[in-house]
């Protein structure tokens, strides 16, 4: 378990602060992450990586010469926000554009995609790519749905080495995609990990069993098997990876491969070496020539007792990129030229300016006061149910939903309170709240709640007096935006299974002439029933999808939290009548 922490909610920020203080030769902190402390090469593509905390040395430990130019670091097991990613990218770029690299998780896809849109709009050419190496998380014909695990490293390394060679942005992005297409990973675990402040692991495995096909966010495996010997573990890992060869590799015999035996947190190096001795023999027997193998902790999951094996099938170009020198806090290879520290002006970063004075009508400011009351009630509701939400989420996910919702709702309320003090109307107050929720919570839920609040804000405006029809329209805009951005539909076992029926019920009630409080109350009843009904569904999206059967009988955490929230908002609407 994680024993040393202060406030669990501050763990990720404090860990990043300590990391940056300990590695000043390599990195310097910027809001949202770290960038290289060395001088930039004008015109070079900046490779910016990122993901949640809890995976060290990924992602901050891989920033340095020959590897990433910057890393955006989110909260524990939660993607960094679009604003964090944007800030890190702006600090790292040097005129050649930016390639954003991350694992294929819904929150990362949303936030990195939004960051890329903003950067491109600002004139910084930006591309994105999600790593998909975990073959246990989807079938070969759906490889685009696979998770990114320890295969992050060879993909990051190839792209960064290509950038060091001076290749243009589109070519660096092509290299990343090619390295990913030739990379496969598979893992096993003997126990789950425990998040800071938690009193139990996210999942447990019987003493004589192991989880097979695990992720790196504390998710349980897709199956179980008897605990193997070290040699049996090696045989399972190697045989599984050799069953699925990438396009262009017809047989392992005569092929060259980069090999990573990765410890996930509490399997010690000596144990890894015992396993690797057998891995090396098995690969040699199959005719595979290993190139610069890595054995150690490279992508972890806090204290998870587990290992994974990664193979990247090399050609001459990929091998040159894999063996190229690198010098980062947690990964060093070969010899890099002595680096020059960044100049003072190069070490500056955008801090942003304060808000411009708000202009709003008295009617809109009254609506903003109701919105602030609603956000206060949302925060209180989330705080009261955070442990329950985490428990539900841990059944087939990573167990961080409660913590993420706490961070987001608290940040949204504080931002809204500040906006009200400055005279904001409903639009400005909810926009500030939405941005703060997305920025502080990160993860999928952070992105989607930011979208919900912003969508409603855009409809309400800062001058008109909101009507029941206006609010119902804003909720419908939010529902449409969430479905369009997140890609989920009713039946996928997500918050959409509550958001859509709630939206339809609210619109119908308002259309029939019901006053707002009564209409919202009736729609909240529908939302609560819809949340309960998600217990009968199996997930078709997100981290829970590979563990679909495990979630039967348990409602979706995002759907449940949405039902709790709409009921809390009803209290604010009733009070303002």
């Amino acid at each position: 378990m994680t024993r040393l922490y202060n406030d669990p909610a501050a763990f990720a920020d404090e860990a990043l602060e300590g990391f940056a203080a300990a590695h000043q030769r390599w990195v310097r902190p910027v809001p949202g992450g770290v960038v290289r402390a060395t001088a930039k090469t004008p015109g070079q593509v900046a490779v910016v990586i990122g993901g949640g905390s809890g995976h060290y040395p990924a992602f901050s430990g891989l920033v340095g010469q020959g590897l990433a130019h910057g890393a955006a670091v989110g909260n524990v097991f939660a993607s960094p926000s679009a604003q964090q990613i944007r800030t890190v990218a702006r600090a790292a770029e040097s005129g050649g554009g930016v390639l954003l690299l991350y694992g294929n998780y819904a929150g990362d896809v949303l936030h990195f995609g939004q960051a890329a849109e903003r950067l491109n709009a600002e004139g910084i050419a930006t591309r994105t790519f999600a790593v998909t190496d975990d073959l246990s998380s989807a079938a070969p014909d759906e490889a685009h749905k696979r998770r990114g695990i320890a295969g992050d490293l060879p993909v990051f390394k190839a792209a960064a080495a290509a950038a060091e060679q001076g290749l243009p942005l589109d070519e660096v992005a092509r290299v990343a995609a090619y390295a990913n297409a030739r990379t496969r990973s598979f893992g096993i675990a003997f126990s789950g990990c425990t998040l800071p402040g938690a009193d139990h692991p996210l999942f447990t495995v019987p003493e004589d069993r192991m989880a097979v096909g695990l992720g790196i966010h504390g998710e349980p495996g897709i199956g179980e098997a008897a605990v193997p010997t070290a040699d049996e573990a090696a045989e399972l890992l190697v045989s599984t990876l050799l069953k699925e060869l990438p396009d262009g590799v017809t047989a392992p015999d005569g092929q060259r491969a980069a090999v990573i035996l990765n410890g996930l947190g509490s399997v010690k190096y000596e144990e890894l070496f015992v396993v690797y001795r057998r891995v090396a023999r098995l690969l040699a027997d199959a005719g595979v020539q290993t190139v610069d193998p890595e054995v150690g902790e490279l992508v972890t999951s806090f204290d998870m007792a587990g290992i994974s094996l990664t193979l990247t099938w090399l050609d001459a170009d990929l091998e040159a990129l894999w063996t190229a020198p690198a010098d980062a806090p947690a990964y060093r290879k070969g010899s890099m030229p002595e680096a020059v520290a960044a100049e003072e002006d190069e070490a500056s970063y955008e801090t942003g300016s304060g808000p411009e004075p708000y202009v709003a009508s008295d009617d809109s400011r009254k609506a903003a006061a109701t919105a602030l009351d609603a956000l206060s009630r949302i925060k209180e509701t989330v705080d009261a149910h955070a442990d329950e939400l985490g428990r539900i989420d841990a059944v087939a996910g990573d167990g961080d939903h409660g913590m993420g919702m706490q961070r987001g709702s608290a940040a949204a309320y504080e931002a809204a309170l500040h906006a009200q003090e400055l005279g904001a109307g409903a639009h400005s107050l909810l926009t500030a709240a939405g941005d703060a929720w997305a920025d502080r919570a990160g993860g999928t839920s952070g992105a989607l709640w930011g979208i919900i609040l912003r969508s409603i804000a855009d409809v309400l405006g800062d001058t008109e007096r909101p009507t029941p029809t206006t609010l119902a329209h804003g909720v419908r805009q939010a529902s449409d935006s969430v479905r369009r951005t997140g890609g989920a539909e009713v039946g996928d076992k997500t918050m959409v299974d509550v958001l859509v029926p709630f939206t339809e019920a609210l619109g119908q009630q308002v259309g029939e002439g019901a006053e707002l409080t009564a209409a919202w109350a009736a729609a909240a009843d529908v939302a609560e029933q819809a949340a309960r009904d998600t217990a009968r569904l199996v997930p078709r999206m997100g981290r829970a999808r590979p563990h679909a059967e495990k979630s039967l009988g348990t409602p979706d955490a995002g759907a449940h939290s949405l039902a709790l929230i709409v009921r809390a908002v009803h209290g604010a609407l009733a009070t303002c009548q």
Side-chain angles (χ1 to χ4, degrees), residues 132-525:
T132 57
D133 60 300
D134 176 24
L135 58 79
S136 72
S137 54
D141 60 349
E142 292 188 313
H144 63 284
K145 295 182 179 180
R146 288 176 169 173
R147 303 176 290 204
I149 53 174
D152 283 354
L153 176 60
V155 176
F156 296 170
K157 177 70 169 59
E164 293 282 355
Q165 292 178 356
L167 297 181
L169 177 58
D170 286 341
E171 184 63 13
V172 174
R174 186 201 66 79
V175 166
Y178 184 61
N180 180 73
R182 296 176 72 92
T183 299
R184 303 286 188 277
S185 298
F186 185 72
I188 58 176
F190 312 102
S191 71
C193 62
T194 305
L195 302 184
D199 58 5
H200 59 276
L202 292 177
F203 74 92
T204 58
V205 183
E207 189 171 341
D208 59 345
R209 307 286 287 174
M210 70 173 176
V212 178
L214 64 140
I216 57 169
H217 296 92
E219 311 100 318
I222 59 173
E224 285 187 7
V227 170
T229 64
D231 283 358
E232 289 168 345
E235 290 158 8
L236 173 63
L237 295 171
V238 171
S239 64
T240 301
L241 291 182
L242 292 185
K243 287 177 184 175
E244 184 184 315
L245 302 176
D247 292 342
V249 179
T250 57
D253 188 27
Q255 297 291 329
R256 297 169 69 81
V259 183
I260 299 172
L261 183 63
N262 176 59
L264 281 154
S266 62
V267 175
K268 304 316 298 177
Y269 274 68
E270 286 86 349
E271 296 175 88
L272 292 172
F273 291 137
V274 172
V275 175
Y276 187 73
R277 56 177 272 287
R278 183 62 176 157
V279 168
R281 290 176 187 173
L282 290 168
L283 290 174
D285 290 345
V288 179
Q289 302 176 53
T290 60
V291 179
D292 278 8
E294 296 285 349
V295 179
E297 293 184 348
L298 295 158
V299 180
T300 63
S301 185
F302 271 115
D303 59 337
M304 182 185 287
I307 59 175
S308 64
L309 182 66
T310 299
L311 298 179
T312 298
W313 300 92
L314 303 172
D315 58 14
D317 292 336
L318 272 183
E319 182 167 341
L321 298 171
W322 173 245
T323 58
D327 183 25
Y331 188 88
R332 301 171 202 176
K333 179 179 288 188
S335 177
M336 294 290 299
E338 185 174 350
V340 178
E343 297 290 338
E344 187 65 30
D345 61 338
E346 213 178 337
S348 65
Y349 53 82
E350 178 184 358
T351 58
S353 58
E356 295 185 6
Y358 291 117
V359 177
S361 68
D362 288 342
D363 283 338
S364 187
R365 288 192 174 114
K366 289 178 182 177
T370 301
L372 180 64
D373 182 28
L375 288 165
S376 175
R377 292 169 186 264
I378 289 171
K379 176 182 177 300
E380 292 170 357
T381 297
V382 169
D383 285 343
H385 292 86
D387 290 345
E388 175 192 10
L389 295 173
R391 178 188 58 77
I392 293 172
D393 189 38
V395 171
D398 55 18
D400 71 339
H401 186 69
M403 290 191 300
M405 292 293 288
Q406 276 189 296
R407 289 190 298 262
S409 59
Y413 172 71
E414 292 298 327
L417 180 62
H418 181 61
Q420 187 199 45
E421 292 170 349
L422 296 176
H427 166 78
S428 296
L429 183 140
L430 286 173
T431 297
D435 288 348
W437 193 314
D439 189 39
R440 185 58 183 151
T444 308
S445 66
L448 297 182
W449 274 101
I451 288 169
I452 289 171
L453 294 178
R454 269 187 160 272
S455 297
I456 295 173
D458 288 344
V459 171
L460 295 185
D462 274 334
T463 57
E464 300 298 321
R465 180 179 181 178
T467 66
T469 300
T470 305
L471 183 56
H473 179 54
V475 171
R476 183 166 296 280
Q477 288 288 95
S479 177
D480 292 344
S481 295
V482 165
R483 293 164 68 190
R484 181 173 59 253
T485 304
E489 294 295 342
V490 172
D492 287 341
K493 196 166 187 174
T494 70
M495 70 184 304
V496 168
D497 289 293
V498 170
L499 184 56
V500 168
F502 171 77
T503 300
E504 292 176 349
L506 180 64
Q508 180 180 352
Q509 289 285 322
V510 169
E512 293 173 355
E515 56 92 20
L516 180 58
T517 304
W520 195 281
D525 290 340

